[in-house]
Amino acid sequence: MTQNVSAWLDIRTRKTDFPPTLFRQLTTCQTAANEFLRQFWTSLYPPPMTTSSSATPSQNAAKVAKMVGYLSKTHEKVGALVRAGQMEGVEPERVEVAMKPLLDAVEHALAFYRVRGAKNSTLKIA
């Protein structure tokens, strides 16, 4: 048990290899994109009605389109982070690997939106 606690503390106290300013920018980008993804999927598939102030289907469709606009800029923002990392001496591949799960999730959401939009001339919200 002592080994487990020691390993956990070691991981928690270990510094990242990214410069602090770049690390902050990476986490900010990831947090924002995750929020856009959450709003995208929640608008596309709203939870069961729990309150009387639920958004209408047209409001949800507008929000989905807005989130798609934000999400489509994620690759550009990650590219800027790659360049910022290079200026701070970080290999571009390390930044790309760190952001790959986020980019994959964004690409999945955008592909889903394109396919769904192609099936329906107007996007219908569930």
Side-chain angles (χ1 to χ4, degrees):
M1 184 162 150
T2 304
Q3 278 184 320
N4 288 343
V5 172
S6 176
W8 180 80
L9 286 173
D10 183 45
I11 290 169
R12 297 279 296 166
T13 58
R14 190 180 310 156
K15 300 264 186 215
T16 64
D17 293 338
F18 292 114
T21 55
L22 179 63
F23 186 72
R24 194 173 319 114
Q25 291 172 331
L26 291 169
T27 55
T28 299
C29 179
Q30 182 192 24
T31 301
N34 279 336
E35 179 62 21
F36 297 147
L37 284 166
R38 185 191 67 76
Q39 290 186 32
F40 170 82
W41 291 113
T42 301
S43 295
L44 199 59
Y45 294 111
M49 286 235 229
T50 55
T51 64
S52 60
S53 63
S54 180
T56 66
S58 62
Q59 289 171 325
N60 282 338
K63 189 168 189 176
V64 166
K66 186 177 182 181
M67 293 303 114
V68 165
Y70 291 144
L71 290 170
S72 64
K73 297 176 185 174
T74 303
H75 283 282
E76 180 182 323
K77 291 178 182 181
V78 170
L81 290 172
V82 169
R83 290 187 297 280
Q86 282 180 307
M87 287 191 271
E88 294 194 39
V90 177
E91 299 88 22
E93 297 80 25
R94 292 187 57 230
V95 175
E96 291 167 356
V97 166
M99 300 303 280
K100 185 168 179 9
L102 175 70
L103 290 174
D104 289 347
V106 167
E107 187 53 42
H108 177 77
L110 294 175
F112 184 86
Y113 179 77
R114 285 189 295 270
V115 168
R116 186 173 174 136
K119 286 181 182 176
N120 306 327
S121 60
T122 61
L123 183 66
K124 294 181 183 175
I125 304 300

